[in-house]
Amino acid sequence: GRCRRGAGMTNRPTNETIAHFIYNEAALVDAGRYDEWLDLFVEEAIYWLPLSPNQNDHRGEQSIACEDKMLLNVRIKRLKGPRAYSNQPPAKCLHVLQAPSIEEAEQHRFITRAPFFYVESRGDAQFFLAGRVMHRLRIEQGVLRIVEKRVDLINADAALPPIFLFP
């Protein structure tokens, strides 16, 4: 079956189930359902935008962003708060993903990669990002969860505009 929050999984998920999970993760951000999105991450999860595709460790080098679940939660609270003046008008986004390839698959751990196109807009302004997204997933208490989300932008070394949401 589909991998939804609360839906237990007894066997290895199918490639279709894993792809649906990846698409759903992006759709939650696009819909502004940030609390549900954050629930997809394990407690020790990392959301990482490296400066270079050659980076192998988020701790040893400078990154565009590297946030653990606590920092993601702080950012979400700030986005939802009435005093988020820097986010006025509120930012909106849209993810367009190619079908994810499953690069590694064990019984309870998976690594996927997918090319993506991301648009973020605020008022009359919008900008576009493109790259590849890697998800490191595991089954925890019968559901797929995100251990690491790595977003490699094709122009990560360029001067980028402020990114308010989550590519």
Side-chain angles (χ1 to χ4, degrees):
R2 299 270 184 216
C3 183
R4 290 183 289 268
R5 213 170 121 212
M9 192 177 304
T10 56
N11 298 320
R12 182 188 176 284
T14 65
N15 290 3
E16 179 185 352
T17 300
I18 293 170
H20 180 268
F21 179 87
I22 301 299
Y23 296 141
N24 183 60
E25 184 257 338
L28 288 172
V29 175
D30 293 348
R33 294 165 52 188
Y34 308 121
D35 293 322
E36 291 174 66
W37 174 75
L38 190 60
D39 285 345
L40 299 177
F41 290 80
V42 298
E43 286 307 309
E44 72 276 13
I46 296 294
Y47 178 88
W48 183 26
L49 279 85
L51 275 172
S52 161
N54 299 326
Q55 285 179 255
N56 294 319
D57 185 358
H58 63 272
R59 292 169 287 228
E61 300 179 58
Q62 196 171 32
S63 300
I64 297 168
C66 185
E67 299 180 4
D68 60 16
K69 192 168 181 179
M70 182 187 74
L71 285 174
L72 290 172
N73 191 39
V74 168
R75 186 177 350 174
I76 288 167
K77 285 182 180 177
R78 191 175 63 237
L79 283 170
K80 294 186 332 184
R83 297 181 200 215
Y85 302 118
S86 64
N87 192 32
Q88 295 303 323
K92 298 178 276 188
C93 67
L94 177 69
H95 291 80
V96 179
L97 299 167
Q98 259 186 269
S101 63
I102 298 171
E103 295 188 352
E104 293 182 28
E106 296 177 13
Q107 184 65 25
H108 298 289
R109 296 180 188 278
F110 311 91
I111 296 175
T112 70
R113 290 193 198 279
F116 74 91
F117 185 72
Y118 173 84
V119 181
E120 190 171 292
S121 72
R122 291 183 62 226
D124 293 336
Q126 64 181 0
F127 69 90
F128 310 92
L129 299 172
R132 291 178 58 87
V133 61
M134 183 275 296
H135 286 84
R136 190 177 308 275
L137 308 171
R138 79 170 177 235
I139 298 173
E140 188 174 273
Q141 298 179 340
V143 295
L144 278 171
R145 307 279 304 277
I146 301 168
V147 175
E148 178 183 356
K149 180 176 178 179
R150 176 183 170 139
V151 179
D152 286 297
L153 301 175
I154 61 171
N155 63 335
D157 57 348
L160 297 170
I163 302 171
F164 283 89
L165 300 177
F166 308 97

